[in-house]
Amino acid sequence: MKYLCLFLLLVGLSATAQTNAPSTNAPPPFCCRHPYRVLGAGKVVDLSPLITWWMHQGPQVVALPLNAARPVRPLTAWKRIQGIKTGEVESAWVVQAEIAISPTEKTNEWIILKNPPVAEAAQFYNLQYLIPQYERQIATDRQKQAEYTKAAARNTAQAKQLAQNYSKSIRWDAPYYTQQANQNKAAAAAALADQQATQAALDQARQQLKTIPNSNGQYQIDVFALELGRNAKGRLIFDPGTVYGSAW
């Protein structure tokens, strides 16, 4: 039952992963999570207008004539940043990033990302570690359950055979095998219970993994971030802030 504790931990983590992004028929892009961000000394920024605008930039908008009225993009200083961490500069990440001002307008550049999503990345790699652990535990529990069940059946048959023997001295051994059968049945039940708890933890972990952006087994950054300008080396600096009420 040790995996039940891990399952409960995963349930707690999943609660922090839930967002209030606008609902659509298709799942929203990962960048449209966490509309409320905290920048600097406690300044809260509401990205809901940008998220709403972003999720309505479908083919029908792209196909509009150039002179047609188009929805005005709010929060123009915020860009969608997608990419993989390649290094660190103090507490910031160096990211090989795709920078998008709309779903169709993108550039690529190495950037510095302040306030990176450290906790989410750690959760991703922790889940990647836990899932095969759970799978191996389930396989072990299944094998144990089968072995204990088979042993219990064998003990029961032995007890029955001895109990029917004409010799009293031989019948005397029947309760021992009955006791062995009961012990093996209890062990089989325990293996089944652990298997079920671990399966629940595995299902939870797999569901959580789907809520975290990744590419080819690596954590992928996918956030809206505020462009702050360039550093002395000419590299763009972005800051997604921190998620209001929790950490990345």
Side-chain angles (χ1 to χ4, degrees):
M1 296 302 289
K2 59 183 178 181
Y3 287 92
L4 182 58
C5 295
L6 290 173
F7 170 59
L8 295 174
L9 174 61
L10 287 171
V11 171
L13 288 172
S14 68
T16 64
Q18 296 176 8
T19 68
N20 54 352
S23 60
T24 61
N25 291 331
F30 287 110
C31 64
C32 292
R33 303 171 299 159
H34 313 305
Y36 297 103
R37 309 290 178 79
V38 180
L39 290 172
K43 178 184 177 182
V44 179
V45 179
D46 182 5
L47 299 184
S48 298
L50 174 58
I51 290 172
T52 300
W53 179 89
W54 195 276
M55 291 178 62
H56 288 84
Q57 299 304 298
Q60 74 282 359
V61 174
V62 175
L64 285 175
L66 293 178
N67 60 350
R70 295 170 179 267
V72 177
R73 186 194 193 279
L75 299 163
T76 55
W78 290 77
K79 314 293 174 58
R80 181 183 187 181
I81 302 300
Q82 289 179 278
I84 301 295
K85 172 189 173 185
T86 60
E88 293 187 21
V89 177
E90 296 179 351
S91 59
W93 285 359
V94 179
V95 180
Q96 184 180 8
E98 180 181 86
I99 307 166
I101 61 175
S102 78
T104 57
E105 299 172 90
K106 306 172 183 178
T107 58
N108 292 278
E109 191 170 342
W110 294 88
I111 69 164
I112 301 296
L113 188 69
K114 299 178 65 178
N115 291 310
V118 175
E120 185 174 71
Q123 183 184 5
F124 171 76
Y125 290 113
N126 186 52
L127 289 169
Q128 276 200 321
Y129 169 79
L130 286 175
I131 286 173
Q133 298 289 323
Y134 291 153
E135 291 172 338
R136 284 192 288 271
Q137 184 62 38
I138 288 169
T140 297
D141 286 334
R142 284 175 177 166
Q143 182 178 359
K144 285 183 177 179
Q145 182 193 4
E147 290 174 353
Y148 285 129
T149 299
K150 184 177 180 180
R154 183 172 60 251
N155 295 149
T156 299
Q158 290 172 314
K160 182 177 180 181
Q161 183 179 17
L162 291 173
Q164 294 174 344
N165 195 281
Y166 67 90
S167 171
K168 183 177 180 181
S169 61
I170 293 177
R171 291 198 304 271
W172 184 263
D173 292 331
Y176 167 78
Y177 288 101
T178 298
Q179 182 182 22
Q180 289 295 108
N182 291 335
Q183 291 176 350
N184 281 317
K185 287 176 183 178
L192 176 60
D194 192 67
Q195 176 189 331
Q196 291 171 336
T198 307
Q199 183 66 56
L202 174 61
D203 293 342
Q204 183 71 22
R206 286 172 172 168
Q207 287 301 314
Q208 279 190 268
L209 202 59
K210 293 178 182 178
T211 70
I212 301 175
N214 65 88
S215 176
N216 298 321
Q218 285 186 288
Y219 173 72
Q220 183 177 50
I221 299 137
D222 190 355
V223 297
F224 284 121
L226 179 65
E227 184 177 333
L228 300 178
R230 294 183 182 271
N231 63 10
K233 296 182 179 180
R235 187 164 288 177
L236 276 172
I237 304 173
F238 287 88
D239 186 355
T242 57
V243 177
Y244 182 72
S246 64
W248 283 111

